[in-house]
Amino acid sequence: MTNQTKNSMLLMLCALIWGTAFVAQSAGSGMGAFSFLAGRSWMAVLVLIPTVKAFDALHHRQGRPDGKPKTAAERKLLLKAGLVCGTLLFVASAAQQFGLTLNPSTAKAGFLTAMYVVLVPIFGLALGRRGSPQLWGSVAIAVCGLYLLCMQNGFGGVERSDMVLLLCAVLFSFQIMAVNHYGPQVDGVRLSLRQFFVVAVESSVAALLLEHPAPAEFAVNAVPLLYCGVMSSGVAYTLQILGQRDMNPAVGSLIMCLESVFSALGGWVLLHQSLSPREGVGCVLIFAAVVLAQLPAPQRAPQRAERAS
């Protein structure tokens, strides 16, 4: 199995967890946005601490060095990576939770959040990532699929929640590009741990300053907090960091937008919700876009130079 295939599978698993976690996150929207984010992030930290130790032990048994930074420069790089990725994840996740508390339609929220599939390659242009016609075609197909899947009744009126979720998509685009930049340079699980420690601290401070978190709130929302903290945060974001290694961030964002598909399919299979033909076509288009983005680009046949007569 090639690294590209393995990384793609990790990102697909990440999208599957995010898709199923969307319901849990919506269930916790009765809490303050910062309080909910703090609760799930501290749970992620508690999960990732033993995960780091388990990965180190596995590497030692296999005779490979662990991912612990060995020099002051490596420690500084890991600290910087955790701070940058964590702060971007904090503001993006807070915007997403605020958007959910404003009671947007779930379908519209899914579509607007997933617009990072367009924004990542656009922002990549500023970093010199031009992208192939094949990639841009994949993005266009994915957007059409997302529209069919999520926007059953069109856009309707633009609401305040829509602007918040568009901001969320912009911030997640920056977070994806930051992970793509720092991920290959540091240990992935340690980066995930430090990223969520930063999110936990920043969201806790925001909750104490702007909200009134109460133990009863955390008790009532224990199940969505547990699922979002352990699976969506601790597991899925670690899979994102590991899966984005040596992968074009635009292709990675295409794979991760499958969370909308998995959310719809999960509701159909597990909750017996109906899946209309329109939604089915949307799912097929998104899957097709992901496959197209990873197919080898066609090679132009070399042109033979004509002899001068």
Side-chain angles (χ1 to χ4, degrees):
M1 182 184 296
T2 65
N3 283 338
Q4 183 81 2
T5 302
K6 182 178 70 174
N7 290 352
S8 297
M9 292 177 65
L10 291 176
L11 291 179
M12 284 187 184
L13 181 56
C14 168
L16 173 62
I17 296 172
W18 280 346
T20 54
F22 196 83
V23 175
Q25 192 173 346
S26 299
S29 60
M31 290 183 65
F34 293 123
S35 299
F36 186 87
L37 185 55
R40 65 180 287 187
S41 299
W42 283 117
M43 286 187 183
V45 169
L46 292 177
V47 170
L48 287 168
I49 289 175
T51 302
V52 169
K53 296 184 181 297
F55 268 81
D56 286 348
L58 177 63
H59 290 160
H60 289 156
R61 285 197 300 270
Q62 295 175 342
R64 294 188 296 157
D66 58 37
K68 187 182 298 184
K70 305 298 189 298
T71 65
E74 290 179 350
R75 288 191 290 272
K76 183 178 179 181
L77 177 62
L78 181 59
L79 179 64
K80 180 181 179 181
L83 184 61
V84 172
C85 294
T87 299
L88 287 172
L89 181 58
F90 162 66
V91 292
S93 299
Q96 185 180 62
Q97 194 64 28
F98 271 117
L100 290 171
T101 59
L102 293 173
N103 295 320
S105 70
T106 303
K108 189 182 288 188
F111 178 80
L112 293 174
T113 301
M115 286 305 293
Y116 59 70
V117 72
V118 180
L119 297 174
V120 168
I122 289 176
F123 292 146
L125 292 174
L127 302 176
R129 291 182 177 272
R130 298 300 173 188
S132 64
Q134 178 176 320
L135 175 60
W136 287 105
S138 300
V139 170
I141 294 172
V143 172
C144 293
L146 284 167
Y147 182 85
L148 292 175
L149 175 62
C150 301
M151 306 294 287
Q152 292 296 301
N153 300 314
F155 284 99
V158 177
E159 303 171 358
R160 185 174 58 164
S161 59
D162 300 339
M163 304 308 297
V164 173
L165 288 167
L166 279 174
L167 174 62
C168 164
V170 172
L171 295 170
F172 271 125
S173 301
F174 292 153
Q175 194 265 346
I176 289 170
M177 292 190 293
V179 168
N180 184 78
H181 175 73
Y182 289 110
Q185 304 179 57
V186 298
D187 179 64
V189 184
R190 280 181 166 81
L191 173 57
S192 187
L193 171 58
R194 281 154 180 78
Q195 169 180 261
F196 275 103
F197 181 77
V198 170
V199 176
V201 171
E202 292 178 347
S203 55
S204 296
V205 172
L208 292 172
L209 291 176
L210 303 173
E211 299 172 351
H212 303 283
E217 282 186 319
F218 292 94
V220 170
N221 294 278
V223 173
L225 280 170
L226 186 63
Y227 188 83
C228 289
V230 175
M231 296 302 297
S232 181
S233 296
V235 175
Y237 278 100
T238 303
L239 292 174
Q240 179 203 359
I241 290 172
L242 297 175
Q244 278 191 236
R245 286 178 178 271
D246 304 318
M247 178 173 281
N248 186 318
V251 176
S253 70
L254 270 170
I255 298 174
M256 287 184 288
C257 86
L258 285 172
E259 68 175 296
S260 297
V261 175
F262 288 129
S263 178
L265 293 177
W268 177 50
V269 173
L270 300 176
L271 302 178
H272 307 292
Q273 297 175 347
S274 61
L275 194 65
S276 68
R278 173 189 172 117
E279 291 173 315
V281 172
C283 291
V284 170
L285 285 176
I286 297 173
F287 272 118
V290 171
V291 172
L292 176 62
Q294 297 186 83
L295 292 177
Q299 300 293 326
R300 290 185 178 181
Q303 295 179 350
R304 290 181 297 179
E306 297 182 1
R307 291 184 181 179
S309 54

